[in-house]
Amino acid sequence: MDLKKFIVDIPNFPEPGVIFRDITPLLNNALAFKTVIKQLAAYAVAQKATVIIAPEARGFLFGPAVSFATNLRFIPVRKAGKLSRAVIDVKYSYEYAANQLEIHAGDLQPNDRVLIVDDVLASGGTARAMCQLVKQEQAKIAGLAFVIDLTYLNGKKDLDSYPIKTLIEY
């Protein structure tokens, strides 16, 4: 299935000169969404992942579904101040701003093999931050999986030591 036909280009969003890749048509097509989850789940199994993590907001659209499809744990990665228990955190920058990501302290264990799932790999800031969170908890990165890779932003830079799976490239 050509998944790219379910992505809509929105010019000049969120700022002039940017082409936003809208994934909502893919979510609105059950077969396309199921295809994405099957491919990401197959990658999780191939990488021998034991836990899935994904960042809010749009990573939450794919990460829990992959977790469900593979019967693996899911750990949410949230923006600052959204988690109720003790956290570990990392500050990071991406295309448009800077932010901070957090996970509950102790949710990842040193023997965990973590698959990071997100909708888009752009500049790689969010992915690098999640890798830092995994390392802080002394877990292992099994791989990274993205629905879309915006290759022209070189997001794989500094991530090339990890296995990476992308389904659609621009």
Side-chain angles (χ1 to χ4, degrees):
M1 170 178 284
D2 181 10
L3 295 171
K4 207 175 216 181
K5 72 181 184 179
F6 296 99
I7 308 300
V8 176
D9 293 349
I10 310 295
N12 301 312
F13 182 83
E15 57 186 50
V18 173
I19 299 174
F20 181 77
R21 309 297 180 173
D22 181 9
I23 62 167
T24 57
L26 185 144
L27 299 171
N28 194 28
N29 183 290
L31 183 57
F33 183 65
K34 189 174 188 176
T35 299
V36 165
I37 299 308
K38 279 184 172 182
Q39 289 183 26
L40 296 177
Y43 183 65
V45 170
Q47 294 306 116
K48 298 182 172 97
T50 61
V51 62
I52 306 295
I53 69 170
E56 68 173 286
R58 291 182 311 215
F60 283 8
L61 299 171
F62 299 98
V66 173
S67 175
F68 178 81
T70 56
N71 199 33
L72 296 175
R73 296 175 12 240
F74 175 75
I75 299 173
V77 178
R78 302 290 314 265
K79 294 178 181 148
K82 303 285 185 180
L83 295 173
S84 57
R85 295 182 276 120
V87 300
I88 61 164
D89 61 45
V90 64
K91 290 177 176 44
Y92 71 105
S93 324
Y94 56 101
E95 309 86 290
Y96 310 114
N99 215 327
Q100 180 174 315
L101 292 178
E102 300 177 342
I103 61 171
H104 280 127
D107 278 1
L108 286 173
Q109 301 300 309
N111 62 339
D112 283 331
R113 291 185 48 80
V114 179
L115 180 67
I116 296 169
V117 175
D118 205 356
D119 65 326
V120 174
L121 176 60
S123 66
T126 303
R128 283 190 297 277
M130 287 188 290
C131 289
Q132 289 177 356
L133 288 172
V134 171
K135 287 179 186 176
Q136 283 182 44
E137 291 291 86
Q138 300 174 354
K140 295 168 185 59
I141 298 167
L144 296 92
F146 304 93
V147 178
I148 296 172
D149 181 3
L150 303 177
T151 59
Y152 52 89
L153 293 177
N154 199 22
K156 290 180 181 174
K157 181 180 183 240
D158 302 324
L159 295 173
D160 56 1
S161 63
Y162 305 114
I164 298 175
K165 169 82 171 174
T166 59
L167 305 183
I168 303 167
E169 294 186 346
Y170 287 93

